[in-house]
Amino acid sequence: TPFPPAQLPRKVDKELESGEYFLSKEQKEQSAKSKRSLENAKKGLKRKRERAAEFVVPTSNIATMGGKKGAKSAKELAIKIKNGQKTKNRKKAKDFLA
């Protein structure tokens, strides 16, 4: 190509277009600080959502998750716990001695 590419705008040119060139030093620092704090807040919310997603209870039955024989559904277990019944059949020491 016989012609060179157009020059890119300088930093000063960009500041003149946006109006930042005429701001004081304190105003520039405050705007930069507010931009950083906004970005940090967005990242913080994203991290909280990711952490909370780890603790979401799955919607499928608990019985299918464990794969154990005799496993109960989540509703049955909740009802037993609410009524104060034991959820496990524990063996006593005398059963082993017999």
Side-chain angles (χ1 to χ4, degrees):
T1 60
F3 299 105
Q7 285 187 342
L8 297 174
R10 300 177 300 167
K11 182 178 178 181
V12 176
D13 295 333
K14 290 180 184 178
E15 288 180 351
L16 283 171
E17 288 178 10
S18 66
E20 291 180 32
Y21 184 80
F22 302 104
L23 296 177
S24 66
K25 184 177 179 180
E26 292 84 17
Q27 290 173 330
K28 288 181 184 179
E29 289 174 358
Q30 186 171 2
S31 66
K33 186 177 180 181
S34 65
K35 286 180 184 177
R36 275 185 267 134
S37 65
L38 182 64
E39 289 175 8
N40 287 339
K42 286 181 182 178
K43 289 180 184 178
L45 286 174
K46 183 180 176 185
R47 285 189 204 113
K48 281 185 181 180
R49 287 187 196 119
E50 289 173 357
R51 289 182 194 134
E54 294 176 4
F55 297 107
V56 173
V57 178
T59 57
S60 64
N61 285 345
I62 293 175
T64 58
M65 291 174 57
K68 297 179 182 177
K69 290 185 178 179
K72 306 286 183 183
S73 69
K75 289 182 181 179
E76 291 174 6
L77 291 173
I79 291 169
K80 280 189 174 184
I81 291 171
K82 187 176 180 181
N83 293 336
Q85 297 174 352
K86 293 183 180 179
T87 57
K88 293 184 179 180
N89 294 330
R90 297 178 187 241
K91 295 186 178 182
K92 296 181 180 176
K94 65 180 180 179
D95 294 336
F96 288 108
L97 298 175

